[in-house]
Amino acid sequence: MPTEVILPKVDMDMATGQISRWFAEEGARVKKGDVLFEIETDKAAMEIDAPASGVLRDVTGKEGIDIPVGAPVAWIYADNEAYGADVTAAKQDKGPISPPVEEMSAKPTEGTPPTSHSVTPPSALPGISPTRGEIGQSPSGARATPLARRLAREAGLALASIIGTGPYGRVVKADVDAAIAGGGAKTAPAAKAPAGAPAAAAPAVKAMSDDQVLKLFEPGSYELVPHDNMRKTIARRLVEAKSTIPHFYLTLDCELDALLALRTQINAAAPMKKTEKGDVPAYKLSVNDMVIKAMAMALKAVPDANASWTESAMVKHKHADVGVAVSIPGGLITPIIRHADEKTLSTISNEMKDLASRARSRKLKPEEYQGGTTAVSNLGMFGIKDFAAVINPPHATILAVGAGEERAVVKNGEIKIATVMSVTLSTDHRAVDGALGAELLVAFKRLIENPMGMLV
């Protein structure tokens, strides 16, 4: 039998992926370990190797469309292995997941006879039973997984009112959970409450539909750009974060003059190393590198704030792993500096440059952006004075960093000029109370204003 090539799961949250590029064509001879194709998840792009040697056949995984994890995208036939109707029938017995209707109904190119691996028309496909865990469709016409349908039914939600983020727009469990958290259209009015019972809270206002939004604009005055996986995931996670995490915010100002002076001294003392571009400094610290170090050390100084919330217990972390928001085309990602409290500033600086570079080319490994115990988001390079960031679960805190700017400050009754940076700590109030969050932010400020403490 030929070897099945499937779309692998390369990310913990991955349900679908897109093939961004094939490196081998139909009929090409490949060797085990050769790069077959590149897949694009919501966070990264990864090269997938051939699982066997032979001839690549039946390439059904098209570029640029959502493909469920585990779905076959091609087959590899060993040398001298039969290729024809018998083998195709045997493969169909394994029940591969079918492509979209648009793909299945496409006709062969004019003048080219259909081959033995032509896709079967939809009418000839076996019925998909919801009891087998496959994609189902509700009577209202909404595509949904069996679990999502059951949860929606139990919650009294109309599936048609829920926007699906799964493959081909199907409603998945996360969509139902988000609808329950934010309120949604009910299938039937709630039963009348007994006399004297407290009034129920008013349901949350439902978001405008696509048609409602588009009707507000003149036809032809806009273009529609479909959401990619990254943008869909960002939207879903932000809604979940703001709907389920009770945010509160603490802001204070930090003077940067001592930190800037120390940074200049450290950079001036950097040894030179030889590269293809000539001699370059072994490191070059940025203010953000020192912010990462200060945040990590502050968490170690206030260990109760280095936590994550779960319904059954508080997760107290033993290490300070700092995620750093990096802007990339189409969205953002937070690569993580592991054990940042234990690393030198030069190590953090070089590691951050490498992670940011690979993040922008979508070459990060899942373990390089999953997890973490806190995060830093810095918009100071854009001149933003201050802002509040949204917490990225399972973190309980995120630090929003503004620009350093010269301001008038009062010292000993006199007005002085100092370089000041405003920072805002967003915290999950379930895990970090107000006083604890303030203690963490004060510890951070102390390190920023006395930066020599980060060197010992």
Side-chain angles (χ1 to χ4, degrees):
M1 285 295 294
T3 301
E4 184 183 47
V5 181
I6 65 170
L7 189 87
K9 183 172 184 177
V10 298
D11 188 337
M12 182 173 59
D13 298 327
M14 179 179 173
T16 65
Q18 290 188 1
I19 296 177
S20 54
R21 180 167 54 142
W22 277 94
F23 294 96
E25 298 179 349
E26 174 86 22
R29 183 174 298 280
V30 298
K31 294 181 180 179
K32 183 177 181 179
D34 286 351
V35 177
L36 268 188
F37 57 90
E38 182 181 70
I39 64 174
E40 179 181 300
T41 69
D42 54 359
K43 296 178 179 177
M46 296 187 181
E47 294 177 344
I48 305 302
D49 297 340
S53 299
V55 180
L56 188 67
R57 299 285 190 185
D58 300 334
V59 179
T60 58
K62 306 300 182 183
E63 296 180 1
I65 66 169
D66 286 335
I67 302 173
V69 168
V73 296
W75 299 77
I76 296 177
Y77 287 75
D79 293 336
N80 302 322
E81 186 170 4
Y83 176 65
D86 293 340
V87 178
T88 302
K91 289 190 305 182
Q92 288 175 346
D93 289 341
K94 299 184 72 171
I97 299 174
S98 61
V101 172
E102 297 84 0
E103 301 289 340
M104 294 187 289
S105 60
K107 297 180 179 179
T109 304
E110 184 176 352
T112 304
T115 65
S116 61
H117 56 270
S118 297
V119 180
T120 306
S123 59
L125 290 174
I128 298 178
S129 170
T131 60
R132 288 163 46 196
E134 301 292 347
I135 299 172
Q137 188 156 339
S138 71
S140 63
R143 295 171 63 86
T145 62
L147 176 59
R149 288 200 308 276
R150 179 174 64 79
L151 293 175
R153 183 172 62 251
E154 292 173 354
L157 292 175
L159 272 176
S161 69
I162 302 175
I163 299 175
T165 60
Y168 318 125
R170 82 176 186 266
V171 178
V172 295
K173 176 180 180 294
D175 303 323
V176 179
D177 291 341
I180 293 173
K186 302 293 182 179
T187 56
K192 186 176 180 180
V205 178
K206 187 176 181 294
M208 296 174 67
S209 68
D210 291 1
D211 288 340
Q212 289 174 321
V213 172
L214 296 179
K215 285 179 181 178
L216 299 175
F217 305 100
E218 181 181 352
S221 66
Y222 56 82
E223 63 174 328
L224 297 177
V225 180
H227 301 307
D228 60 12
N229 285 344
M230 174 173 287
R231 181 50 54 184
K232 289 178 182 177
T233 300
I234 290 173
R236 174 175 56 81
R237 286 183 63 84
L238 287 176
V239 170
E240 289 175 358
K242 291 296 286 185
S243 301
T244 62
I245 297 176
H247 286 62
F248 84 99
Y249 311 95
L250 300 167
T251 301
L252 54 67
D253 296 332
C254 304
E255 293 188 17
L256 291 182
D257 296 288
L259 182 143
L260 294 175
L262 179 61
R263 169 176 169 263
T264 299
Q265 288 181 319
I266 293 175
N267 284 341
M272 305 300 288
K273 65 177 183 179
K274 296 185 180 297
T275 67
E276 295 178 354
K277 299 180 180 179
D279 291 349
V280 298
Y283 55 82
K284 185 176 181 181
L285 303 186
S286 68
V287 171
N288 204 50
D289 298 330
M290 304 181 84
V291 166
I292 294 168
K293 175 73 171 179
M295 186 62 179
M297 292 185 67
L299 283 173
K300 294 297 288 185
V302 188
D304 285 345
N306 194 22
S308 294
W309 171 268
T310 69
E311 295 301 327
S312 60
M314 192 75 74
V315 182
K316 295 293 185 70
H317 301 290
K318 297 178 180 179
H319 306 290
D321 300 334
V322 182
V324 184
V326 174
S327 177
I328 63 176
L332 58 85
I333 193 171
T334 53
I336 299 167
I337 304 292
R338 306 283 180 182
H339 298 203
D341 57 301
E342 301 172 4
K343 294 179 176 176
T344 64
L345 287 168
S346 60
T347 300
I348 290 174
S349 180
N350 290 334
E351 189 174 328
M352 192 62 237
K353 288 180 175 64
D354 173 62
L355 289 170
S357 174
R358 289 190 290 115
R360 294 187 179 100
S361 59
R362 297 198 176 189
K363 298 298 183 183
L364 289 178
K365 301 174 183 177
E367 60 267 24
E368 292 177 319
Y369 57 78
Q370 291 178 351
T373 66
T374 190
V376 169
S377 180
N378 191 339
L379 294 178
M381 67 286 294
F382 298 105
I384 301 301
K385 182 176 180 179
D386 62 73
F387 67 103
V390 179
I391 295 169
N392 182 30
H395 302 168
T397 57
I398 183 171
L399 187 71
V401 182
E405 58 183 6
E406 290 188 340
R407 301 182 199 171
V409 298
V410 177
K411 295 184 178 181
N412 300 322
E414 296 182 357
I415 296 178
K416 302 287 186 179
I417 301 297
T419 305
V420 179
M421 172 181 74
S422 296
V423 295
T424 298
L425 181 71
S426 304
T427 75
D428 180 345
H429 212 321
R430 299 171 301 177
V432 180
D433 294 322
L436 183 59
E439 187 180 353
L440 175 63
L441 206 52
V442 168
F444 172 83
K445 174 184 173 77
R446 183 167 55 248
L447 287 161
I448 290 293
E449 296 186 346
N450 300 277
M452 289 295 292
M454 291 187 272
L455 304 182
V456 296

